[in-house]
């Protein structure tokens, strides 16, 4: 069933939508809409609410520089005067897209990529390409240590003759597990004919689809998905500034940023008063548009004061203001220099930024001066609402916590070493997986969950998150449980010797 | 202290409430209000905000069919012209209510039931009666396996002579534990005189009260509580459409639907943009009234497109669009045919829809054709906002995950079997509870928490919820811990043999 | 860079802020703003939105008594006519503040305290001083049992020669761990010169800073921080009434009030409908301004009915309506009489309100009559929206749950006693820490996490929170795991004897 575009526009204009006609639709987009309005009504209605539907790139280019959401200096004539509709994104640069297919007379591609978005947003695409997130697929896939961790989690275990057997994970599991956030490899695997509401049509068959992971490998060779944060088809800056967006990937015990934020004073301010904030204005005025930070205000957004002074620049390289990497790896350490981390090697030959005993591998990591630059850049944001003594006191505690959580990780690592040495577990000494046995999994939780949560709680003032909610309580308990197990395995039961001491 | 009704109405009309006088109060309701305004001011003020207070059934009946919230074709003359007030619900069908008592000249009952609501909403009541939720009380109470699980959780354990003794749970504990959601049996246990602000009055004594569980056994013989979702006394469709309502019962590790939803892209859209959605309009227009799904949009609500086409019908039989039952039982399996599940028997004679080794008991479960009908019905909702390749890819992963989580459950089950066979735990082989020992409880967590969470994460794209937040990480760790324990119990300490292998 | 105050006011008045000029700024505050507008723009913009910026104390004093937010009968002439700005709070009572320093010609102090706020809010300050929260620092610090628990969590463990060594925690860790909520001791440790955007200036050096814990020891000798709940610099009553504020400290497994609330019917009402409530009006009208409770409505706020009757008085002694203390200690027990709990001693000489076997130490605890007063006071709030049978049924279950959770704690305690007696753990019998070994930590979780969560779920109808989410499932599993461990340690492996029984 085709809806004439004029009828559509009548609907659009009559239903109270704030649709503004200063951005005419291109003929191609009109044609897309004429069918997809009934095939995917939710997509259309959602897009109607977007800025893309309301303002042409030309209108965007006229804004004062600080107010611009478009970073291109110039947009080609064929795109600059119309709304950014279906065709503008799904038919751009067709030759670079392996997923391009012929569809009702157009060369359409399914997967819109950062390279497509770069048509109008080149600065953001370029920054993002230097963001460690854009490499999240390869940084996992090409790191044998991390790959072995992933396999031990996603593989299927069976039990026979008092042993477990691990089979490698299938592609479907991997796609919805680690690569859900890290990004899948989306590849064209052929084509397929399908009966549609119109008639039979041919579509490309894609592996790893659907996916919106931050490091997705796209059919045009680019990496990432802007829709990870700027959710299609509103692509709203409001949504990217809301903390819930970051929670899609940063909420679990391995990276509890959102949980910690929500229990912090900052999260409380957001939850209690955020309903009255303006999440859409560019630039974002501290105290005026928002009275407490979200993830974006500290790590991404262009922030100005009431007096028009820039507090921090917009960046899509999100570790620009982060001196330390506090999660995901065994020990906290300075951020890696390159977004590609799979090529890092420590002295023991493992692809890790520290030794298993915690020493950082300096050559791959930013130095103290770069750390200080990043620290200062983030502290400028803090100082908008806090005095210097506050900020210094906070950072002093945070960096102390990196030290203490590294120490608590080291203690657990030494217990594991002892288990390997005594042969009650099979690991490095035996050239075996270091992640697949019960005691090894306790060790993983020490750093991946508990050290990590304690650090996030410290970084963002999460209070109890660093104690009972998933922090020091578990760090301390885990060491005792590992010791208890080790003693039982090596010495057997009825061991009455003192195991711990407080002197 | 009595407030004259006229004074009340003056208050209502003067305080900025949107109280519309096109629904006059019945004399009976006026009389209720005259006292209860001061006795339970919160109830009155809440009800004033309800549609029940503003519109008579007659007004509802005049609406075009798709806009109606009332499914009766006709409402009796004595009810059709007044607001749906206190008396309209609390004095209807008095003879069917064992909790009816004489109160100030009226025959009042305390517990308003689906049968009462059916006066105006018969279609919903009938559908709900076929909903598995309506049988949640009996499905737990009358299933000896499940009852034994409940007792092992709710019973009181004491410790003496190196043994634990389990006493059966008391009624108060049961009422606030499993039956909080499953529904209590509300029964009249006598009557009691009580001094009130008016004078001494006699009230029925009810067991199992208060309760709003979905399978509550009511004093009129009906099952369920509409207030479980349509919270009294606003009974708002808005609230039933908000995901928080479902979270009352679907948030814990045993059924983490809400947790998974909130961390998903869908939940993010809701959390970030939902504040601007219209939760009250009937029917509910996809993309226009809401730009991302809540629980209700996929599983319950009447959804239409901007063009007026029906995407899915309203249903109060909530598994109408669900081919698989993914939670609560040991293995994922096709939904049972009947809402009464306590009469299911597997080949081993246990009241379970699968064998302990996972094979489904086909005769009690819907067949592949019915599964396909339900799958297609749910996919129609998906297709509103997603292309076919997206939807197919998603479902392919989901159904693969049912298979892999069943396999991970089977591995844990085999470990438990081995423990029973070797006598290091006491279970089926010994005709003992299969739920009460430490190793059995680890097995329960394998399916009730971890397999289950992994499936929900897969079903609703919860990302990390299927990995570290409560998914595959725990599935894999639990198997290693169970194996570790088994080996220690059977072989003793100092066992240096390889326990797992990756070949 | 100095901004002339007139320019500031122009900004304030031109940017759509609701800034009302009926509260002129004092010259001192104008001078603060002239620099700090650019130094801390977020603070200024936030404060502009506050009632403090809009209304002078004089305006507040003119309100009818029930509407007043100010409890002083009289405010000194120098403060009563101007807005409550920077200088009004940061330069008041300079002689009592050890953190007072000379700053641009003023005697300024950094830490604003309850004693400062008492200038206008003396009733609240006085009540709060009797609130157990105000003593949270000392109640932890001066209780050797609790201090030993804290040390076992926050101390650094190292591992050598098959033993763990515990070092005492450092001050930074303590400040962001337990004392984050309990409150640090903020002390002046000297002074420090710092380069500022103006020129070099001297500031006091404060230990324990920053902190907003409820029991903070302030440099003026007072205890607590009003900003813990009335977040600076809006100090909004709205925020204090939102449940997120309480979640800052009451969300973890040790005190899951917020988690339980959010999954309860009450929390659902708030989450679904709260966006339309009026959180700012004083007094707070039940059913009219809000249709479901937040933490504040039951425990703190002044609540009235539509008819103007007072349901409950405002109190900042938050256990005024709480007969039982259900968290933080080993067993549930009547609330202590005095907010100072470190001086409590049980018969065994331990600073605990019960024996290790659960018997309450009556002389330090409120008696049954006071419990009944508090129970009735809280029930008056319940009765606003619930009938008597509902309220009685609810409380009956709650108080039964205190009994059963105490019993489940006792069972775990007896297992621990047995471990100590048999020397497989080192505790009271050996004059050793009772918190530092693995089995002891399991015991702590029995009461601090699981009994506690079960009680909160019972108190606030949290359903699954009392079962699988963190309740009875874990209570019952923990006892089995402790027994399993005990048997293994004492008897060794291959023990095939029945360990539990259901008769």
């Amino acid at each position: 069933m085709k809806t004439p575009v004029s009828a559509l526009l009548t609907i659009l204009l009559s239903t109270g939508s704030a649709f503004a006609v200063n951005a005419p639709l291109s003929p191609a987009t009109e044609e897309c809409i004429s069918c997809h309005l009934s095939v995917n009504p939710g997509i259309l209605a959602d897009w109607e609410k977007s800025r893309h539907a309301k303002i042409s790139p030309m209108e965007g280019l006229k804004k004062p520089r600080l107010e611009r959401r478009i970073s291109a200096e110039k947009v080609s004539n064929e795109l600059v005067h119309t709304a950014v509709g279906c065709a503008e994104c799904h038919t751009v640069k067709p030759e670079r897209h392996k997923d391009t297919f012929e569809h009702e007379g157009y060369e359409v591609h399914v997967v819109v990529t950062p390279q497509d978005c770069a048509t109008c947003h080149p600065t953001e695409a370029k920054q993002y390409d230097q963001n460690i997130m854009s490499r999240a697929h390869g940084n996992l896939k090409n790191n044998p240590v991390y790959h072995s961790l992933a396999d031990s989690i996603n593989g299927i275990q069976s039990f026979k003759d008092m042993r477990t057997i691990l089979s490698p994970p299938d592609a479907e599991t991997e796609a919805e597990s680690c690569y859900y956030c890290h990004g899948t490899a989306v590849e064209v695997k052929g084509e397929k004919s399908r009966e549609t509401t119109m008639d039979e049509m041919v579509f490309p068959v894609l592996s790893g689809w659907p996916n919106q992971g931050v490091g997705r490998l796209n059919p045009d060779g680019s990496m990432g998905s802007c829709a990870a944060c700027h959710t299609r088809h509103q692509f709203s800056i409001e949504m990217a500034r809301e903390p819930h967006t970051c929670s899609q990937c940063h909420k679990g015990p391995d990276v509890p940023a959102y949980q910690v934020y929500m229990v912090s004073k900052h999260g409380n301010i957001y939850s209690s008063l955020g309903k009255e904030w303006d999440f859409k204005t560019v630039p974002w005025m501290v105290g005026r548009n928002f009275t407490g930070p979200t993830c974006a205000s500290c790590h991404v957004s262009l922030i100005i004061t009431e007096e028009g002074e820039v507090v921090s620049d917009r960046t899509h390289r999100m570790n620009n203001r982060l001196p330390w990497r506090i999660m995901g790896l065994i020990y906290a350490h300075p951020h890696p220099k390159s977004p590609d981390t799979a090529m890092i090697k420590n002295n023991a030959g493992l692809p890790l930024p520290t030794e298993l005993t915690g020493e950082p591998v300096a050559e791959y990591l930013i130095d103290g001066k770069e750390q200080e630059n990043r620290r200062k850049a983030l502290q400028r944001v803090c100082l908008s609402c806090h005095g210097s003594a506050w900020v210094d006191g906070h950072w002093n505690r945070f960096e102390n916590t990196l030290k203490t959580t590294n120490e608590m990780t080291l203690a657990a690592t030494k217990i594991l070493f002892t288990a390997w040495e005594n042969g009650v577990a099979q690991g490095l000494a035996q050239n075996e997986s270091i992640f697949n046995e019960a005691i090894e999994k306790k060790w993983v939780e020490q750093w991946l969950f508990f050290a990590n949560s304690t650090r996030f709680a410290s970084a963002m003032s999460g209070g109890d998150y660093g104690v009972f909610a998933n922090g020091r309580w578990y760090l301390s308990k885990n060491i005792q449980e590992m010791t208890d197990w080790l003693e039982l395995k090596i010495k057997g039961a009825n061991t009455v010797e003192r195991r711990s001491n407080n002197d």
Side-chain angles (χ1 to χ4, degrees), chain A:
Chain A
M1 182 187 63
K2 282 218 185 196
T3 307
V5 177
S6 58
L8 164 73
L9 287 175
T10 311
I11 294 171
L12 295 179
L13 294 168
S14 67
T15 46
S17 114
F19 196 85
V21 257
N22 53 348
L25 304 185
S26 66
T29 289
E30 286 204 5
E31 200 166 345
C32 299
I33 293 175
S34 69
C35 294
H36 282 276
L37 180 61
S38 65
V39 177
N40 310 109
I43 296 180
L44 264 293
D46 195 36
W47 169 80
E48 283 168 37
K49 294 182 159 71
S50 76
R51 197 169 181 87
H52 278 173
K54 291 175 188 155
I55 280 192
S56 69
M58 178 58 84
E59 297 297 314
L61 286 165
K62 288 180 192 157
K63 301 261 178 197
R65 189 157 296 268
L66 278 184
E67 292 179 28
R68 271 191 221 166
R69 295 141 196 266
I70 189 169
S71 58
E73 293 300 321
K74 197 169 157 16
V75 172
S76 73
N77 258 334
E78 59 184 350
L79 292 171
V80 80
H81 297 294
T82 58
V84 183
C86 322
E88 283 63 35
C89 301
H90 283 278
T91 67
V92 76
K93 304 177 190 168
E95 72 292 344
R96 306 184 70 153
H97 272 273
K98 292 195 181 147
D99 56 329
T100 293
F101 66 110
E102 194 285 330
H103 182 63
E104 302 286 294
Y106 291 92
E107 295 206 287
V108 172
H109 57 265
V110 177
V111 185
V112 176
T113 73
Q115 200 160 228
D116 297 331
C117 301
T119 307
C120 297
H121 306 284
T123 304
E124 290 69 32
K126 200 170 159 188
Q127 289 170 341
Y128 189 76
D129 187 63
Q130 287 306 306
N131 191 11
I132 197 167
M133 288 182 187
S134 71
R135 315 301 163 101
H137 180 91
N139 286 350
L140 176 54
K141 179 117 193 158
N142 304 326
N143 182 319
V145 166
Y146 267 72
H147 207 251
S148 135
L149 174 58
D151 283 355
S152 74
I153 298 167
N154 292 326
I156 301 302
Q157 295 184 51
S158 54
F159 181 80
K160 218 161 85 174
D161 302 335
M162 293 290 291
R163 280 162 170 250
T164 55
I165 317 289
L166 178 70
S167 313
D170 55 63
E172 286 76 16
T173 297
E174 288 185 316
E176 72 172 34
S177 178
C178 305
Y179 295 107
Y180 178 84
C181 287
H182 281 252
T184 57
V186 179
E187 291 168 6
V188 180
K189 294 297 188 184
E191 57 182 31
K192 185 172 133 180
S193 179
R194 182 191 292 140
E195 200 59 49
T196 75
T197 50
M198 318 305 290
D199 45 40
E200 186 151 330
M201 290 181 178
V202 173
F203 300 94
V205 175
L206 300 175
S207 68
W209 188 249
N211 184 263
Q212 296 169 117
V214 295
R216 190 179 66 196
L217 299 191
N218 297 309
D220 67 349
S222 66
M223 286 175 290
S225 163
C226 301
C229 305
H230 298 272
T231 299
R232 71 192 190 78
H233 281 97
Q234 283 193 51
F235 312 102
S236 166
I237 198 171
E238 173 168 14
M239 200 159 160
R241 283 170 169 179
E242 290 270 0
H244 316 293
T245 289
C246 306
S247 92
Q248 294 178 178
C249 296
H250 295 224
K251 191 174 188 181
D254 49 319
V255 40
Y258 179 84
Q259 307 275 45
V260 166
Y261 171 77
M262 289 306 272
V263 82
S264 75
K265 180 64 95 181
H266 289 160
N268 175 15
I269 297 171
Y270 164 78
S271 297
S272 298
L273 305 177
K275 56 199 165 201
E276 288 168 20
W277 297 353
D278 178 352
F279 282 92
K280 292 179 185 160
T281 300
V282 173
W284 218 12
M285 197 184 287
V286 61
R288 174 71 61 194
N289 300 144
F290 61 99
T291 62
T294 67
C295 317
S297 22
C298 298
H299 300 298
V300 187
S301 298
L302 168 62
I303 306 291
I304 64 160
T305 71
E306 289 190 313
E307 300 179 303
E309 204 184 335
V310 172
V311 175
S312 56
D313 291 313
R314 182 186 300 120
T315 181
H316 280 69
R317 186 176 167 202
M318 282 124 186
N319 60 6
N320 260 0
R321 298 176 204 138
L322 295 176
W324 299 100
R325 187 150 62 145
I326 64 173
M327 60 161 230
L329 279 296
I330 303 171
Y331 298 92
H333 57 278
H335 256 281
K337 288 178 190 164
S338 162
D340 291 310
T341 59
M343 44 69 160
I344 293 177
K345 284 258 173 308
N346 70 11
N347 293 329
L350 293 171
L352 297 171
T354 70
E355 306 304 322
L356 277 185
T357 42
E359 300 79 7
V361 189
E363 66 179 293
Y364 296 102
L365 309 177
I366 60 171
D367 61 17
K369 200 180 141 193
E370 174 62 14
Q371 283 194 295
E372 182 62 6
N373 290 342
R374 298 188 182 191
R375 189 185 288 109
K376 286 287 176 230
L378 188 47
Q379 288 180 345
R380 277 210 70 191
V381 186
C382 307
L383 288 162
S384 298
C385 302
H386 297 283
S388 300
W390 186 292
V391 174
D392 290 349
H394 174 79
W395 278 79
N396 184 33
R397 285 179 197 159
F398 169 54
E399 298 189 338
N400 181 65
T401 291
L402 301 189
K403 198 174 126 287
T404 58
T405 51
N406 278 355
E407 286 167 2
M408 290 294 269
T409 298
L410 180 60
T413 306
K414 286 187 177 170
I415 298 172
L416 187 59
F417 281 167
T418 309
W420 288 338
E421 283 158 18
N422 285 271
V424 295
Q426 315 290 319
L428 226 49
Q430 294 83 4
N431 207 21
E432 270 274 2
S433 164
I434 63 176
F435 298 120
N436 62 345
E437 296 177 50
I439 192 69
E440 291 163 345
K441 288 175 188 291
K442 285 187 89 66
W443 170 69
V444 171
E445 291 187 347
Q446 185 78 354
W447 45 272
L448 189 61
F449 291 3
F450 311 138
N452 178 2
S453 295
T454 305
R455 291 176 200 135
F456 273 102
S458 178
M460 305 199 295
S461 298
D464 200 21
Y465 230 93
V467 195
F468 293 119
N470 223 25
R472 292 177 179 88
W473 170 256
Y474 295 98
L475 280 174
S476 65
K477 182 186 166 207
N478 206 31
I479 287 178
Q480 289 301 316
E481 288 185 344
M482 289 178 76
T483 313
D484 194 68
W485 177 90
L486 185 65
E487 193 177 73
L488 193 61
K489 291 293 281 191
I490 294 181
K491 303 192 187 165
N494 285 305
T495 309
V496 292
E497 178 188 344
R498 259 175 95 196
R499 250 200 346 288
S500 65
N501 97 40
N502 288 310
D503 309 329

